[in-house]
Each structure stands twice: as structure tokens, then as C-alpha cells.
Amino acid sequence: MKILKVAALSAVFAAQFAFAQFKQTPLPYAYNALEGNIDAQTMEIHYSKHAAAYVANLNKAIAGTPQEKQTLFEIMSNASKLPAAVRNNAGGHYNHELFWTVLTPEKNTQPSEKLAKAINEAFGSMDAFKAKMAKAGADRFGSGWAWLSVDKSGKLFVSSTPNQDNPLMDVVEEKGTPIFGIDVWEHAYYLKYQNKRADYLTAIWNVTNWKEISRRYEEATKAKKGKFDDWQAMKDFHTVMSQTFHPAEEGNLQPIKTRAAEMASKAKALQTSAVPAEFNKKGVKEAIAKLSKDSQDLEKQIKKKDSDANITKSLTALHDTFHTIVGLCSAEDEH
């Protein structure tokens, strides 16, 4: 029996992309929209060939694996443990999806007041920041990316990664949330600039979408206040819930039958953990207590070899309780 589809996980947990099959987002402007800085032929090949290949190869690489049910964020967070084909293509897909949005044909966009202040505080001036980004891109040997990211403390930093790695991955030294990235693979610039990467790195500022970068900065810094992933006990429970509930949606109860005890244990640990102040709202502790009790009851059902229909019903109710907690903790209705 298949569980009826329920609401998607809260945006607090669900990174930036839905579960696979992954798909390209339509390019937000025409191929020739950035002419004079990035030519139409480069944009068309870059989007329709290179980026398209990353998403197609990612879907192929994760087919039949646990990653097929994970978000892109979850995949990149465990890149060190995954095959190269998954790591490279997941990064390639994420990086390009970000890249298209931080470019624009709109002239003279400006960073928000908050972002401009943060850039000045981190780098001294806008010119100093641009010089640091240019150096990160120019010094990247071979193929890779230059990044502006937000670290765990909410501070900006510039870094560079090889190939299709990015600051979200567990393989990089400087980790954070990317808000701007410059692709320095040759396919991003060679038709127009040939070997003059420095000229491309200068021209990119003519088509930089500061509105989008500012939006990403607001999102990244806001996420540092009350982010569920910083509540380790909640994160641990969510991991088990996600890895057992989603297979059950497709009629596969084996994961929950083999991991019910683990779920009950994580729920108990969540109940005894300290609730972060920003989530300590009316009804949260009571809902967590119910989550713990229901998890234990589900484990008992499975031990007694209850029917699949009853197990399904209990798991669905447990998942609903989890979403109740998310709703209570969220400042807005995000699920």
C-alpha cells in the first residue's frame, strides 16, 4: 500500500532543489542578452550542452541509489563519501543553476545597503572585493570557480574551488553558503576571450546581478538565526525520518522496518535535548514528546509484525507530527 502524498518538507530543511529527477531551470534571459560581455554562442553552448550534461549525468549517476531521494544540498554535504560521478555532476548542476541567476542584462544593478556594508567590512571596499574575486579566478589553475560566500558566523569570504566543487561540499577547506560564483572553466569564456581569462573576469561585473546576490545574502544571513540544521538532535531525527518515510511513499516499508529502533532512539534524544531559544515556543515541547512516544509505539508495532496498513498509518501520523513541530518552530508558514 502506498502512502498518500503529503506536503513537501519545510523549506527550513529542503535546500534549494526538489528531489530527483533533477531538472534545469529555464535560462532567465535570451542567449544573446549579455552580448558585449558574454556572447550568445557561448551562452547557448554553456547552458544547452555543458550544464544540461551535468543534470543528465547526475540523474544517471544516482539512479537506484539512496541519493535518488535526497536533496541536492544533502548530496553535496556528503560529497566526500560519494562516487566522483555524483560529486562532479551534483556540483556542476548546482553551480550552473546559481550562475545563471547572478548574471543579468539589466544595467547598473547595485548591492543592497546591507550587502554593500558587509563587503566594505570584509574587504575594505568594493574595488578591493572585486580585485580579490579576480585573483581567486585568475589563480585557479585549470578549471574551477571563484566564490563569494557567507560563513557560519554570517561573515563574507572569497574562495576558489577546482572543477565543479563549491563551498557547500564537505570536501572543501573553506565552507559556507555561496551567494555569487564566477565560472572560470574555459567553456564559459573561450570563444570570446580565448586565453584572456583576466578580460572575462573584468567584463563579468558589467552583467552582475546584484539584486539576486543581495537576495541570496539576506537569505543566507537570515538562515543563521534559528536554522534547524544547527539543532543537531533535530537534524539527526530528520535524517532518519527522510530516509525511511520517502521510500514508504513508494510502497517500500523495508527501511522503516529495519530502522524503527533508530528512529525511536533519535526521537528520544530529541526530546531530551535542549530546545534552542529561537524554537522554544508554545506547543513545541509537547509535540516533541508526542513524536517520541509515537516513534516508540511504531517500533513496538513493527516488532509485533503488525500489518503494513497499520504501520503505514502510524508512519504517516508520525510524519504529520514532525511537520507540526516544523510549523510551530517556523516564524512563517514555510511548509
Side-chain angles (χ1 to χ4, degrees):
M1 174 181 178
K2 292 187 178 181
I3 299 175
L4 294 175
K5 298 291 184 180
V6 295
L9 283 174
S10 166
V12 179
F13 290 112
Q16 299 187 34
F17 301 95
F19 295 121
Q21 296 282 343
F22 293 107
K23 297 178 181 179
Q24 276 188 292
T25 302
L27 196 67
Y29 35 74
Y31 291 133
N32 66 354
L34 308 182
E35 278 284 3
N37 299 286
I38 301 176
D39 60 285
Q41 186 178 14
T42 293
M43 285 300 299
E44 182 173 5
I45 295 172
H46 199 171
Y47 177 83
S48 67
K49 303 300 181 183
H50 292 284
Y54 285 119
V55 69
N57 290 331
L58 172 60
N59 287 329
K60 182 179 178 180
I62 63 176
T65 72
Q67 284 67 53
E68 201 171 33
K69 291 294 184 181
Q70 292 181 351
T71 64
L72 196 53
F73 178 81
E74 288 171 326
I75 291 172
M76 291 188 297
S77 296
N78 294 288
S80 64
K81 305 177 184 68
L82 299 173
V86 177
R87 168 181 169 179
N88 294 336
N89 288 297
H93 180 42
Y94 173 86
N95 296 352
H96 286 90
E97 290 287 287
L98 180 149
F99 188 56
W100 313 132
T101 69
V102 296
L103 303 178
T104 181
E106 185 179 348
K107 302 298 183 184
N108 301 316
T109 65
Q110 298 295 322
S112 66
E113 183 177 345
K114 182 178 178 181
L115 176 55
K117 180 180 178 181
I119 288 173
N120 287 334
E121 289 176 351
F123 308 110
S125 68
M126 177 61 75
D127 287 342
F129 158 65
K130 289 182 177 180
K132 195 172 183 67
M133 282 289 290
K135 179 173 172 53
D139 289 354
R140 168 51 55 194
F141 182 77
S143 301
W145 291 74
W147 300 101
L148 174 65
S149 303
V150 179
D151 68 15
K152 285 186 176 181
S153 67
K155 299 294 181 62
L156 294 172
F157 69 94
V158 167
S159 65
S160 177
T161 57
N163 302 316
Q164 293 296 351
D165 288 354
N166 63 58
L168 289 171
M169 292 184 174
D170 65 344
V171 297
V172 301
E173 291 184 6
E174 296 180 272
K175 297 179 178 63
T177 303
I179 62 171
F180 178 54
I182 303 177
D183 188 345
V184 294
W185 282 63
E186 285 190 343
H187 63 239
Y189 64 88
Y190 202 81
L191 290 179
K192 180 175 178 63
Y193 297 97
Q194 287 79 52
N195 63 324
K196 299 176 183 177
R197 184 188 287 184
D199 289 351
Y200 161 71
L201 290 169
T202 297
I204 201 82
W205 299 112
N206 297 326
V207 291
T208 296
N209 187 351
W210 282 109
K211 291 180 180 178
E212 173 64 14
I213 298 167
S214 297
R215 185 195 69 77
R216 288 177 179 269
Y217 176 70
E218 291 288 340
E219 185 177 283
T221 51
K222 180 180 179 181
K224 302 305 171 186
K225 300 175 182 179
K227 192 174 73 169
F228 272 104
D229 276 358
D230 292 335
W231 186 358
Q232 190 62 48
M234 177 65 82
K235 182 179 179 180
D236 290 345
F237 178 83
H238 168 248
T239 297
V240 182
M241 169 62 79
S242 177
Q243 293 172 355
T244 56
F245 177 76
H246 293 295
E249 285 186 291
E250 304 301 327
N252 179 12
L253 293 178
Q254 191 59 31
I256 187 59
K257 287 182 178 180
T258 57
R259 300 182 67 183
E262 181 184 2
M263 178 179 284
S265 174
K266 298 298 184 185
K268 185 65 176 178
L270 176 60
Q271 185 182 11
T272 57
S273 71
V275 179
E278 58 268 33
F279 302 136
N280 193 8
K281 302 177 181 180
K282 183 178 180 181
V284 170
K285 290 183 179 179
E286 292 80 2
I288 292 175
K290 176 174 171 53
L291 188 79
S292 180
K293 179 182 182 301
D294 290 350
S295 295
Q296 294 174 50
D297 289 344
L298 177 58
E299 181 189 7
K300 292 175 183 177
Q301 276 184 271
I302 290 172
K303 283 183 177 179
K304 293 179 179 179
K305 297 184 178 180
D306 202 349
S307 69
D308 286 358
N310 286 339
I311 291 172
T312 293
K313 182 178 180 180
S314 296
L315 181 57
T316 302
L318 189 64
H319 187 259
D320 289 345
T321 300
F322 171 74
H323 276 282
T324 296
I325 296 167
V326 171
L328 289 170
C329 289
S330 300
E332 301 175 2
D333 185 12
E334 297 176 315
H335 59 292

mmCIF file of all heavy atoms in Angstrom, residues 211-231:
data_model
loop_
_atom_site.group_PDB
_atom_site.id
_atom_site.type_symbol
_atom_site.label_atom_id
_atom_site.label_comp_id
_atom_site.label_asym_id
_atom_site.label_seq_id
_atom_site.Cartn_x
_atom_site.Cartn_y
_atom_site.Cartn_z
ATOM 1 N N LYS A 211 21.045 42.461 -7.495
ATOM 2 C CA LYS A 211 19.757 42.250 -6.821
ATOM 3 C C LYS A 211 19.639 40.810 -6.334
ATOM 4 O O LYS A 211 19.215 40.551 -5.205
ATOM 5 C CB LYS A 211 18.606 42.582 -7.776
ATOM 6 C CG LYS A 211 18.475 44.057 -8.112
ATOM 7 C CD LYS A 211 17.302 44.288 -9.056
ATOM 8 C CE LYS A 211 17.155 45.758 -9.416
ATOM 9 N NZ LYS A 211 16.039 45.985 -10.366
ATOM 10 N N GLU A 212 20.021 39.872 -7.200
ATOM 11 C CA GLU A 212 19.951 38.461 -6.824
ATOM 12 C C GLU A 212 20.987 38.116 -5.767
ATOM 13 O O GLU A 212 20.704 37.369 -4.827
ATOM 14 C CB GLU A 212 20.140 37.582 -8.056
ATOM 15 C CG GLU A 212 20.246 36.092 -7.773
ATOM 16 C CD GLU A 212 18.990 35.483 -7.163
ATOM 17 O OE1 GLU A 212 17.924 36.148 -7.190
ATOM 18 O OE2 GLU A 212 19.073 34.355 -6.651
ATOM 19 N N ILE A 213 22.179 38.650 -5.899
ATOM 20 C CA ILE A 213 23.229 38.382 -4.908
ATOM 21 C C ILE A 213 22.804 38.929 -3.547
ATOM 22 O O ILE A 213 22.999 38.278 -2.514
ATOM 23 C CB ILE A 213 24.567 39.003 -5.352
ATOM 24 C CG1 ILE A 213 25.026 38.381 -6.676
ATOM 25 C CG2 ILE A 213 25.645 38.797 -4.283
ATOM 26 C CD1 ILE A 213 26.159 39.139 -7.347
ATOM 27 N N SER A 214 22.193 40.096 -3.549
ATOM 28 C CA SER A 214 21.697 40.685 -2.291
ATOM 29 C C SER A 214 20.601 39.820 -1.691
ATOM 30 O O SER A 214 20.551 39.634 -0.460
ATOM 31 C CB SER A 214 21.169 42.099 -2.548
ATOM 32 O OG SER A 214 22.201 42.957 -3.002
ATOM 33 N N ARG A 215 19.729 39.310 -2.543
ATOM 34 C CA ARG A 215 18.665 38.432 -2.041
ATOM 35 C C ARG A 215 19.261 37.183 -1.415
ATOM 36 O O ARG A 215 18.834 36.744 -0.334
ATOM 37 C CB ARG A 215 17.727 38.033 -3.186
ATOM 38 C CG ARG A 215 16.522 37.223 -2.743
ATOM 39 C CD ARG A 215 15.828 36.545 -3.912
ATOM 40 N NE ARG A 215 16.647 35.486 -4.477
ATOM 41 C CZ ARG A 215 16.803 34.281 -3.929
ATOM 42 N NH1 ARG A 215 16.215 33.969 -2.786
ATOM 43 N NH2 ARG A 215 17.566 33.367 -4.523
ATOM 44 N N ARG A 216 20.244 36.611 -2.070
ATOM 45 C CA ARG A 216 20.899 35.411 -1.533
ATOM 46 C C ARG A 216 21.631 35.730 -0.224
ATOM 47 O O ARG A 216 21.675 34.905 0.689
ATOM 48 C CB ARG A 216 21.863 34.825 -2.562
ATOM 49 C CG ARG A 216 21.160 34.146 -3.738
ATOM 50 C CD ARG A 216 22.155 33.635 -4.775
ATOM 51 N NE ARG A 216 21.484 32.966 -5.869
ATOM 52 C CZ ARG A 216 21.230 31.664 -5.915
ATOM 53 N NH1 ARG A 216 21.609 30.884 -4.904
ATOM 54 N NH2 ARG A 216 20.617 31.125 -6.951
ATOM 55 N N TYR A 217 22.199 36.915 -0.141
ATOM 56 C CA TYR A 217 22.874 37.308 1.100
ATOM 57 C C TYR A 217 21.871 37.413 2.252
ATOM 58 O O TYR A 217 22.123 36.927 3.359
ATOM 59 C CB TYR A 217 23.597 38.642 0.903
ATOM 60 C CG TYR A 217 24.246 39.162 2.167
ATOM 61 C CD1 TYR A 217 25.360 38.527 2.704
ATOM 62 C CD2 TYR A 217 23.727 40.268 2.833
ATOM 63 C CE1 TYR A 217 25.958 38.989 3.879
ATOM 64 C CE2 TYR A 217 24.301 40.742 3.995
ATOM 65 C CZ TYR A 217 25.422 40.095 4.518
ATOM 66 O OH TYR A 217 25.997 40.544 5.686
ATOM 67 N N GLU A 218 20.740 38.040 1.982
ATOM 68 C CA GLU A 218 19.694 38.150 3.007
ATOM 69 C C GLU A 218 19.251 36.769 3.459
ATOM 70 O O GLU A 218 19.088 36.512 4.657
ATOM 71 C CB GLU A 218 18.500 38.930 2.452
ATOM 72 C CG GLU A 218 18.755 40.402 2.210
ATOM 73 C CD GLU A 218 18.863 41.207 3.494
ATOM 74 O OE1 GLU A 218 18.378 40.724 4.533
ATOM 75 O OE2 GLU A 218 19.437 42.313 3.451
ATOM 76 N N GLU A 219 19.061 35.875 2.516
ATOM 77 C CA GLU A 219 18.606 34.526 2.826
ATOM 78 C C GLU A 219 19.654 33.771 3.643
ATOM 79 O O GLU A 219 19.333 33.082 4.611
ATOM 80 C CB GLU A 219 18.320 33.776 1.530
ATOM 81 C CG GLU A 219 17.719 32.402 1.706
ATOM 82 C CD GLU A 219 17.394 31.756 0.374
ATOM 83 O OE1 GLU A 219 16.384 32.137 -0.238
ATOM 84 O OE2 GLU A 219 18.169 30.885 -0.068
ATOM 85 N N ALA A 220 20.914 33.905 3.247
ATOM 86 C CA ALA A 220 21.987 33.182 3.929
ATOM 87 C C ALA A 220 22.204 33.688 5.340
ATOM 88 O O ALA A 220 22.420 32.901 6.274
ATOM 89 C CB ALA A 220 23.289 33.295 3.128
ATOM 90 N N THR A 221 22.140 34.991 5.526
ATOM 91 C CA THR A 221 22.372 35.532 6.867
ATOM 92 C C THR A 221 21.155 35.319 7.758
ATOM 93 O O THR A 221 21.294 35.088 8.956
ATOM 94 C CB THR A 221 22.732 37.033 6.799
ATOM 95 O OG1 THR A 221 21.759 37.729 6.002
ATOM 96 C CG2 THR A 221 24.106 37.220 6.185
ATOM 97 N N LYS A 222 19.981 35.389 7.179
ATOM 98 C CA LYS A 222 18.768 35.111 7.957
ATOM 99 C C LYS A 222 18.753 33.669 8.429
ATOM 100 O O LYS A 222 18.333 33.364 9.540
ATOM 101 C CB LYS A 222 17.524 35.390 7.119
ATOM 102 C CG LYS A 222 16.213 35.130 7.841
ATOM 103 C CD LYS A 222 15.021 35.428 6.936
ATOM 104 C CE LYS A 222 13.712 35.148 7.647
ATOM 105 N NZ LYS A 222 12.534 35.416 6.771
ATOM 106 N N ALA A 223 19.243 32.760 7.569
ATOM 107 C CA ALA A 223 19.241 31.336 7.900
ATOM 108 C C ALA A 223 20.120 31.029 9.100
ATOM 109 O O ALA A 223 19.949 30.012 9.753
ATOM 110 C CB ALA A 223 19.699 30.512 6.697
ATOM 111 N N LYS A 224 21.073 31.924 9.405
ATOM 112 C CA LYS A 224 21.956 31.681 10.536
ATOM 113 C C LYS A 224 21.237 31.884 11.861
ATOM 114 O O LYS A 224 21.708 31.470 12.892
ATOM 115 C CB LYS A 224 23.174 32.618 10.476
ATOM 116 C CG LYS A 224 23.979 32.487 9.195
ATOM 117 C CD LYS A 224 24.412 31.068 8.939
ATOM 118 C CE LYS A 224 25.016 30.934 7.563
ATOM 119 N NZ LYS A 224 25.330 29.555 7.217
ATOM 120 N N LYS A 225 20.079 32.543 11.802
ATOM 121 C CA LYS A 225 19.311 32.786 13.008
ATOM 122 C C LYS A 225 18.196 31.755 13.083
ATOM 123 O O LYS A 225 17.195 31.853 12.390
ATOM 124 C CB LYS A 225 18.734 34.199 12.985
ATOM 125 C CG LYS A 225 19.802 35.288 12.894
ATOM 126 C CD LYS A 225 19.170 36.646 12.747
ATOM 127 C CE LYS A 225 20.236 37.726 12.597
ATOM 128 N NZ LYS A 225 19.621 39.070 12.425
ATOM 129 N N GLY A 226 18.366 30.762 13.877
ATOM 130 C CA GLY A 226 17.330 29.775 14.025
ATOM 131 C C GLY A 226 17.303 28.737 12.931
ATOM 132 O O GLY A 226 16.235 28.318 12.518
ATOM 133 N N LYS A 227 18.453 28.332 12.422
ATOM 134 C CA LYS A 227 18.482 27.319 11.375
ATOM 135 C C LYS A 227 18.377 25.937 12.006
ATOM 136 O O LYS A 227 19.108 25.602 12.924
ATOM 137 C CB LYS A 227 19.776 27.429 10.552
ATOM 138 C CG LYS A 227 19.745 26.611 9.291
ATOM 139 C CD LYS A 227 20.973 26.858 8.440
ATOM 140 C CE LYS A 227 22.207 26.205 9.041
ATOM 141 N NZ LYS A 227 23.343 26.210 8.120
ATOM 142 N N PHE A 228 17.459 25.112 11.498
ATOM 143 C CA PHE A 228 17.232 23.804 12.089
ATOM 144 C C PHE A 228 18.476 22.918 12.049
ATOM 145 O O PHE A 228 18.680 22.093 12.930
ATOM 146 C CB PHE A 228 16.071 23.094 11.395
ATOM 147 C CG PHE A 228 14.733 23.414 12.000
ATOM 148 C CD1 PHE A 228 13.870 24.276 11.361
ATOM 149 C CD2 PHE A 228 14.340 22.861 13.202
ATOM 150 C CE1 PHE A 228 12.634 24.578 11.904
ATOM 151 C CE2 PHE A 228 13.117 23.156 13.758
ATOM 152 C CZ PHE A 228 12.255 24.018 13.105
ATOM 153 N N ASP A 229 19.286 23.068 11.014
ATOM 154 C CA ASP A 229 20.473 22.225 10.907
ATOM 155 C C ASP A 229 21.465 22.473 12.039
ATOM 156 O O ASP A 229 22.372 21.681 12.259
ATOM 157 C CB ASP A 229 21.165 22.434 9.556
ATOM 158 C CG ASP A 229 20.546 21.576 8.458
ATOM 159 O OD1 ASP A 229 19.622 20.803 8.776
ATOM 160 O OD2 ASP A 229 20.977 21.673 7.306
ATOM 161 N N ASP A 230 21.330 23.601 12.743
ATOM 162 C CA ASP A 230 22.188 23.866 13.895
ATOM 163 C C ASP A 230 21.671 23.184 15.157
ATOM 164 O O ASP A 230 22.336 23.190 16.183
ATOM 165 C CB ASP A 230 22.308 25.379 14.132
ATOM 166 C CG ASP A 230 23.076 26.073 13.021
ATOM 167 O OD1 ASP A 230 23.893 25.401 12.375
ATOM 168 O OD2 ASP A 230 22.849 27.273 12.803
ATOM 169 N N TRP A 231 20.472 22.638 15.096
ATOM 170 C CA TRP A 231 19.884 21.876 16.205
ATOM 171 C C TRP A 231 20.176 20.416 15.899
ATOM 172 O O TRP A 231 19.418 19.762 15.216
ATOM 173 C CB TRP A 231 18.393 22.161 16.268
ATOM 174 C CG TRP A 231 17.678 21.572 17.438
ATOM 175 C CD1 TRP A 231 18.185 20.785 18.437
ATOM 176 C CD2 TRP A 231 16.276 21.722 17.722
ATOM 177 N NE1 TRP A 231 17.206 20.433 19.324
ATOM 178 C CE2 TRP A 231 16.019 20.986 18.916
ATOM 179 C CE3 TRP A 231 15.228 22.388 17.095
ATOM 180 C CZ2 TRP A 231 14.744 20.920 19.468
ATOM 181 C CZ3 TRP A 231 13.962 22.327 17.649
ATOM 182 C CH2 TRP A 231 13.722 21.596 18.833
#
